Amino acid sequence: MKHEIGGYFGLMEFCGTEYHSGLIALNCARNALTFLLKARAYQKLYIPRFLCDSVREGAEKAGVEIVLYSVGEKFSPLLNYRTSDDEAVYIVNYYGQLSDECLEQYQRMFGNIIVDNVQSFFQRPLPQVDTIYSCRKYFGVADGAYLSANIFNELEEDRSADHMLPVLGRCDIDASSYYADYIVQEKRFSSLPVRAMSLLTHNLLRAIDYEMVAAQRSKNAGILHVFLGKRNALSLDNLHALYMYPFCVPGHGSRLRKYLHQYRIYVPCLWPEVLRCAEETSVEYLLARDIVPLPCDQRYDEDDMMYIVRRINEYMGDYHDTADSRNEIVPSSL
């Protein structure tokens, strides 16, 4: 059937190039994992305890057995195991702190690995290493993910138009007014079928100035690190195009998040399910509680970063001696 001619205008078709053009484009990261696990016929997947439930949901949808492992120095996997052909180790590139050399070392150590670059969109995939990316963690789109894998892809396209309200509403008003709609859209990913990326999401991703985005994220992360780095319990090796700046303040994480919210600085507690399930003395629990992921993305400039710094300095001055006395110490090796 010939395409429609005439009538009202829709969103124009953009002429740019997607950053990960050429990779397999799917509707969300957890479905990228499900698709990959089925295609590789894996039966067992080793995943870190310090992680959100969505990865586990993606693995369960594929019908694989899940084995949990802990993380240690610089988020490295505490795992001494070589996979068989039907197994893989899921490596999370937390805040983009794992270099290519580090990932190559893990591949040599473990055999089959799957790299989660959800928090490192601009890090190119390594050859022969299955790698997953998320679009909506970095850009204003309703969905979208990429998978780097030599797998034949023939999937039905998803549709995104009905799910764009939180993204579009924030343009007209603000995030608070559409937060309830955002939560509704977030929940739908649990039951979303595995499909190819929608035409709408493809189009929006072709409109992005990726060079500007990476540069602004890097600049903002650098500003935060200059003023907050000495107070950060994490040792950061990479500040390039960060997802968010991981500011770790042992014993203060929960209270600092609440303090920043008062000033309309919305900082998430990533993976709160870890706090419900992990032992309070475990590294995973302490990291989930005390890492405060500070916004440093392309929407903001130096003035915004300095506003965050001032609010944190005010907090640290007012509450320096009021840290939660339980489990205050994050291992120095991190």
Side-chain angles (χ1 to χ4, degrees):
M1 180 180 176
K2 192 172 182 61
H3 62 270
E4 296 174 324
I5 298 176
Y8 66 88
F9 280 91
L11 183 68
M12 67 178 293
E13 290 191 18
F14 299 109
C15 302
T17 302
E18 296 174 48
Y19 188 81
H20 288 300
S21 177
L23 300 189
I24 300 171
L26 296 106
N27 54 358
C28 69
R30 75 186 72 184
N31 281 347
L33 176 59
T34 301
F35 176 75
L36 175 63
L37 293 173
K38 289 183 176 180
R40 294 280 188 242
Y42 287 139
Q43 300 299 310
K44 183 183 293 186
L45 182 66
Y46 293 81
I47 65 174
R49 290 183 173 86
F50 183 46
L51 196 57
C52 62
D53 285 342
S54 65
V55 172
R56 188 175 305 192
E57 290 173 1
E60 291 174 346
K61 189 186 293 187
V64 304
E65 178 185 353
I66 296 172
V67 179
L68 302 177
Y69 68 83
S70 295
V71 296
E73 184 176 355
K74 292 187 178 295
F75 302 116
S76 60
L78 298 181
L79 185 64
N80 183 18
Y81 188 77
R82 180 79 182 180
T83 60
S84 60
D85 290 343
D86 63 350
E87 300 174 331
V89 176
Y90 196 77
I91 304 291
V92 179
N93 192 354
Y94 298 99
Y95 300 99
Q97 295 305 299
L98 299 182
S99 65
D100 288 350
E101 292 75 19
C102 186
L103 295 174
E104 289 170 344
Q105 179 184 3
Y106 293 152
Q107 186 184 38
R108 291 192 295 269
M109 290 171 55
F110 303 128
N112 298 325
I113 66 170
I114 300 171
V115 175
D116 179 330
N117 265 350
V118 166
Q119 294 185 353
S120 190
F121 184 88
F122 288 94
Q123 190 167 344
R124 295 289 188 181
L126 293 170
Q128 308 305 315
V129 176
D130 295 338
T131 307
I132 296 172
Y133 299 88
S134 174
C135 303
R136 60 196 184 89
K137 300 295 185 183
Y138 272 72
F139 313 108
V141 291
D143 45 43
Y146 293 105
L147 170 64
S148 176
N150 57 341
I151 297 172
F152 177 71
N153 170 34
E154 192 174 37
L155 293 169
E156 176 187 353
E157 289 174 347
D158 207 349
R159 298 288 182 267
S160 298
D162 291 342
H163 309 297
M164 285 290 293
L165 181 60
V167 176
L168 299 176
R170 185 165 189 172
C171 292
D172 271 345
I173 307 178
D174 55 29
S176 302
S177 300
Y178 288 89
Y179 186 70
D181 298 286
Y182 169 77
I183 294 299
V184 170
Q185 297 304 328
E186 284 290 297
K187 290 180 178 179
R188 75 185 176 93
F189 288 102
S190 297
S191 57
L192 197 65
V194 178
R195 288 177 179 164
M197 184 184 290
S198 72
L199 294 176
L200 173 57
T201 299
H202 270 300
N203 191 37
L204 293 173
L205 291 170
R206 289 196 297 270
I208 294 170
D209 183 343
Y210 292 102
E211 184 176 348
M212 178 280 294
V213 169
Q216 191 63 40
R217 284 176 176 267
S218 301
K219 180 180 178 180
N220 288 342
I223 293 170
L224 292 177
H225 195 60
V226 165
F227 290 95
L228 300 175
K230 290 183 179 180
R231 283 178 161 168
N232 196 343
L234 293 177
S235 174
L236 303 181
D237 295 325
N238 175 43
L239 297 176
H240 176 67
L242 288 193
Y243 161 58
M244 303 182 89
Y245 180 81
F247 184 51
C248 186
V249 278
H252 283 273
S254 299
R255 189 177 285 116
L256 177 56
R257 270 188 290 271
K258 293 178 182 178
Y259 185 85
L260 293 176
H261 284 191
Q262 298 176 30
Y263 295 94
R264 292 168 62 89
I265 302 171
Y266 301 124
V267 179
C269 175
L270 294 185
W271 313 324
E273 51 267 46
V274 175
L275 298 179
R276 295 192 297 268
C277 301
E279 295 289 335
E280 291 191 11
T281 56
S282 67
V283 172
E284 290 83 6
Y285 185 93
L286 298 177
L287 289 174
R289 187 191 68 179
D290 291 332
I291 290 181
V292 180
L294 301 176
C296 62
D297 58 73
Q298 63 272 16
R299 297 170 291 179
Y300 310 114
D301 58 18
E302 181 175 353
D303 288 342
D304 297 313
M305 296 302 100
M306 293 310 301
Y307 178 75
I308 294 174
V309 169
R310 287 194 297 272
R311 298 288 82 80
I312 290 177
N313 286 339
E314 288 172 2
Y315 168 85
M316 299 303 285
D318 293 341
Y319 293 92
H320 181 73
D321 297 320
T322 62
D324 187 341
S325 61
R326 296 171 302 140
N327 311 320
E328 289 188 23
I329 304 301
V330 172
S332 59
S333 60
L334 294 176

